[in-house]
Amino acid sequence: MSVIQELSRSKRSVSPRRKGDGRWALFFLAPWFVGLALITAGPMGASLYLSFTDYDLLSAPEWVGFENYTRMFDDPRFVNSIGVTFTYVFVSVPLQLAAALGLALLLDKGMRGLALYRSVYYLPSLLGGSVAIAILWRQIFGADGLVNQVLALFGVQGQGWVSHPDYALGTLMALNVWTFGAPMVIFLAGLRQIPQMYYEAASIDGASKFRQFRSVTLPLLTPIIFFNLVLQLIEAFQSFTRAFVVSGGNGGPSDSTLLYTLYLYLKGFGSLDMGYASAMAWFLLLIIGGMTVVNFLASKYWVFYDD
Amino acid sequence: MSTTGNGLRTRRGKRLAASAAGIAAMALTLAACGGGDSGIGGGGGDDEPVAAAEECPCEIRFSWWGSDSRHESTQQIIDAFEAENPDITVVPDFTDWDGYWDKLATSVAAGDTPDVITQEERYISDYSTKNVLADLASLDIDTSKIDEGVLAGGQIEGAQYGIPTGINAYALVADPEIFADADVELPDDTTWTWEDYVTTANAISEGAGDGVWGTQDYGFNEAGLNVMARQRGETLFTPEGELGVSEETVADFFQVSLDLMEGGGQPDAARTVEYQAAGPEGGLLGTNQGAMGVWWTNQLGALTDSSGHELELLRLPGESEGERTGMYYKPAMFYSISADTEYPESSAKFVDFLLNSEEAAKIMLTDRGLPANTEVRESILGDLSPTDQKVADFMADIEDEIVDTPPVPPHGSAELADIMERVNTEVLFERITPDEAATQLIEEVNAAIAD
Amino acid sequence: MTDATTSTQTVTTTAALPPSDSDVPPGTEDRRPTARPRGRQVRAKVGSVLKHAGLIAFGFVMLYPLLWMVASSFKPNALIFREPGLIPTDIDLSNYTDGWNALLHPFSHYLINSAIIVLGSVLGNLLSCSLAAYAFARLEFKGKRLWFAVMLMSIMLPIHVVIVPQYVLFSQLEWINTFLPLIVPKLLATDAFFIFLMVQFFRGIPRELDEAATLDGANHLRIYLQLMLPLSMPALATTAIFTFIWTWNDFFSQLIFLTRPEMYTVPIALRTFVDSTGNSSWGSLFAMSIVSLIPVFIAFLFGQKYLVKGIATTGIK
């Protein structure tokens, strides 16, 4: 608190931004650099190398050049998994973020029972990749599940959503939206980070609540929206556990939930084709990396930083 | 296989690497990337188990998959073994089925292979052709009490890479109460045909009313296809490791499913897929919604418990219909020993104990299949639960009808289960015809087993 | 926006109040000082009731699967699938007692193992990621953008292809079957997710604050410790909560790196109740899943209190 008090006493002036905090950067980044060098870089490099080999985990890898990469595009299951993954990512991520942001705004402050609501909405996200999820999901989207029971009340005959190739991916996306707790918490934290002074200044200026939202909350929340967008995209592209658990491990029915990473895993550990899996991983990295670069470039136009 | 790779994997080498700080280890890993084959590389390579005399007290690691009840009983067996062999410590290493194979492959890749490994027919070819497993014939394990045919289930190109722990059979499980509700007679399983199977199932669906079906779809499991193929004098895989089933048989196999679905004998496609995913407990038999289902005999216990009914084991249809019988004893699992183990003798001693000790058998009962050792099997008959007793009786009944044990599926056949599931789903949703399914299945399996 | 930043900066009375964790933190409750006319009050009340009704209904939908799991955990194993309704016909606690003792060690053993890993991971992430984030958010150094890209890249590769090389690395260090492979990386900021998270939050703190502190002679370490960390409680709380939950639920790396049953953790223990090839104890699985949810839920309840201790309540207005 002392710094803050000193601060408030000191007369503010804008000091020239100093360039070159090299030594300080080294100090602050030291753990990360060590981790990068010792733990992250080696295995990443190894997987890059393995992506150019025929490697079955049980015997030594053999160099095959770009074969794994060229093989991918002749593999119908690979092509299918890309389609499944893009659908999954571009439908469920926006929905999940919208739900998270909406509820975060609703649950931000000034209401009774907030802590309770927040916790209740977060509970599903606590389950993680529990094997129980598969069973729970069948209780909702199965042939005799909750959804169909509700539909039956309206005289609509439902069907086994979770096990129908046309709808299974939809239930998986619903599962992803259902666990919007993580981005919601980040949004909540972001809302709390917005300095009160902005609101006061705005209300002195006579801004309506909606205008306060538009000109204070939203712009100041953009770094967090941006963060959630970038990270949820990265995560959604790598979604694995839920698809694995819900589909019983094979991306079924009939490959309709075969997400990219699930296929990669099945190739690497199921078919013992780790070379191919590694190539898939690096190709995925290119996709996600490209997406992230676009995101960062676009962010210049809509993300507001106060610094 | 490079010598540096093996050097790193010895315990001394490991200690050396550890004593050098993290940077050294890093360099080693990177060297592995650059050099092409060390560090990362795989446990295979040494054809011979290390021959040096063993110095005990020693520690061997035993890995298996399963659920809580198996972990508990296996620990008791380990305790019994350690009591008899105080200088050998057996370290348990267990997890569920899916996790097991990830973990095993990873530890083999890092040269950290467990000494005694539980194997299964889907993967044993992969591991043995890559020299991960030792030839058990060269070790001191008594297999004289195991039926030759069953023992052959663990042989690949003349070497004994795994010894069957016990046997199961793929059989038809029937719920007499639902048969009675539907006013349908239990079939005579020694004479019934595949057509009878379809008509029986359809009749039950008809008679039992809404929400109860004749049977649960069998098309997800390759074992059913194998039985049908064998009845026609074919085989799923030949001893040479090639696909030995004709397109016609595969098409007929899927046609049975379709006939059942159209005749109402089994639920619609979406339900079928759902019940399939729900395992024995959540399937038709387990939830009293069906009269029949095809399961492995070791699943009778789980089915009986969850259904709460007295279930019966029947022969699969068509046993007297074709050229020969198709049912067979499947090795439930195999015990294997790492080709790299430092303690081949102690490991062999432990495997011998697992196979031949009455004490072990009395704890294990039928948890790893009906014991492969026939003498031991006799000795536990009195201790079996009524359900297990039923299994044992059934297995004895069909013993004389069984012609042979199918050969070990070839390298790459682990993918077959997924292929079956995918193709069958496509058939059920009528996205492809049985003929197309046959072509697709054969194409995909051939691709999977081609090296 | 910039005109807002130049508005008053004073220490208000709320700074003297203890940071509140109630639903309506004092001082932030009422942004509109004028009292509402009565008609609007009634309408607001009706609106509030409707809002709560909606939120409760939505909560039920959110919770239905969990309620089903709770209900099933009180049913005998055989009835879980045969009678899948929400209300158990008779309450049976045996799943809890059986599940607790079903494995080689009592379930508490696995809870403790998980707790150790979680604790180490939370501390590690809080410290190492906030340090790295400070550098990326506030320092100018050569190659900053490149290093930032490298950092993001490190979370773009699926774990399945790096786990084998990692295993080789850790086994050379003789770390297999210890908690080290699960904790040490967190101390070294390998969870780039949280670095990025904190960078975003640090950047949300007005730079005037640290510029003023710099004028007062504070160095970066002091700014980090006394300005950034206290002002970033929501980000730190988020990091702690997520690290807790994700580590608690992390199955794959714990499965691979821990080989001996005495080192097993909750997710591995839970998996051993179910075996797709044999018998499964669904009842025990549900019961122990619920038991293992309790610590994470408590962690969340505890942690979310700190979510409200943002810049809004630490005295800068």
Side-chain angles (χ1 to χ4, degrees), chain C residues 134-206:
Chain C
Y134 183 83
F136 283 120
R138 283 299 200 252
L139 301 179
E140 296 300 326
F141 55 94
K142 244 186 165 163
K144 180 166 152 178
R145 291 162 68 95
L146 176 77
W147 289 118
F148 193 77
V150 168
M151 177 199 75
L152 277 185
M153 210 176 103
S154 69
I155 49 174
M156 292 180 192
L157 213 55
I159 183 178
H160 307 103
V161 297
V162 288
I163 193 112
V164 172
Q166 272 179 0
Y167 189 98
V168 172
L169 174 69
F170 292 136
S171 100
Q172 279 165 0
L173 293 168
E174 302 217 328
W175 282 6
I176 296 302
N177 202 36
T178 69
F179 296 147
L180 293 175
L182 301 163
I183 296 177
V184 172
K186 314 277 175 176
L187 285 165
L188 299 175
T190 52
D191 264 355
F193 177 93
F194 296 111
I195 304 182
F196 187 26
L197 175 83
M198 288 200 243
V199 167
Q200 294 305 90
F201 275 90
F202 287 174
R203 292 184 72 175
I205 294 172

Side-chain angles (χ1 to χ4, degrees), chain B residues 238-398:
Chain B
T238 66
E240 292 74 39
E242 276 154 19
L243 203 57
V245 64
S246 68
E247 273 193 39
E248 194 195 343
T249 304
V250 182
D252 290 348
F253 176 75
F254 287 123
Q255 189 60 49
V256 171
S257 280
L258 274 191
D259 292 347
L260 279 166
M261 211 165 66
E262 272 153 31
Q266 72 182 35
D268 62 80
R271 265 183 197 273
T272 290
V273 173
E274 193 178 321
Y275 291 127
Q276 167 64 21
E281 294 89 351
L284 284 181
L285 279 168
T287 54
N288 303 148
Q289 297 180 88
M292 294 186 285
V294 199
W295 297 94
W296 291 103
T297 46
N298 64 326
Q299 291 171 311
L300 186 68
L303 289 164
T304 306
D305 287 349
S306 46
S307 74
H309 292 179
E310 280 282 320
L311 304 180
E312 295 297 333
L313 286 169
L314 302 177
R315 288 169 184 78
L316 288 180
E319 285 290 271
S320 57
E321 185 183 8
E323 286 179 28
R324 42 164 279 180
T325 61
M327 291 182 67
Y328 59 91
Y329 289 152
K330 174 198 178 264
M333 322 170 188
F334 300 101
Y335 296 124
S336 295
I337 293 179
S338 160
D340 268 353
T341 176
E342 277 182 80
Y343 306 109
E345 287 163 34
S346 306
S347 302
K349 207 182 244 180
F350 181 59
V351 170
D352 189 75
F353 183 82
L354 288 167
L355 285 169
N356 300 321
S357 147
E358 273 188 31
E359 195 183 355
K362 282 206 177 351
I363 302 170
M364 194 164 8
L365 297 174
T366 61
D367 185 50
R368 285 179 168 84
L370 200 63
N373 178 329
T374 46
E375 217 172 82
V376 162
R377 194 188 303 171
E378 288 297 317
S379 75
I380 60 162
L381 286 180
D383 301 318
L384 295 180
S385 69
T387 315
D388 286 343
Q389 187 68 53
K390 209 175 264 175
V391 173
D393 291 346
F394 179 76
M395 297 293 261
D397 277 354
I398 61 170

Side-chain angles (χ1 to χ4, degrees), chain A residues 7 12 18 21 109 111 113 115 117 119 121 126 178 182 192-193 197-198 200 215 223 231 238 305, chain C residues 1 5 23 31 51-52 55 62 140 155 193 196-197 200 208 212 220 242 249 301 304 307 311 317:
Chain A
L7 256 177
R12 266 182 342 96
R18 287 164 312 143
D21 307 303
K109 47 185 107 174
M111 203 177 73
Y117 286 127
S119 311
Y121 295 156
L126 296 178
W178 184 56
R192 287 312 162 119
Q193 192 82 335
M197 56 183 175
Y198 296 151
E200 288 181 354
S215 57
L231 261 300
Q238 298 184 58
Y305 288 106
Chain C
M1 209 42 44
T5 42
D23 301 333
R31 285 177 196 158
K51 188 162 141 185
H52 279 280
L55 284 171
M62 291 291 290
E140 296 300 326
I155 49 174
F193 177 93
F196 187 26
L197 175 83
Q200 294 305 90
E208 287 86 352
H220 282 297
F242 286 175
N249 288 330
L301 281 183
Q304 70 139 14
L307 287 179
I311 204 167
K317 274 202 149 190

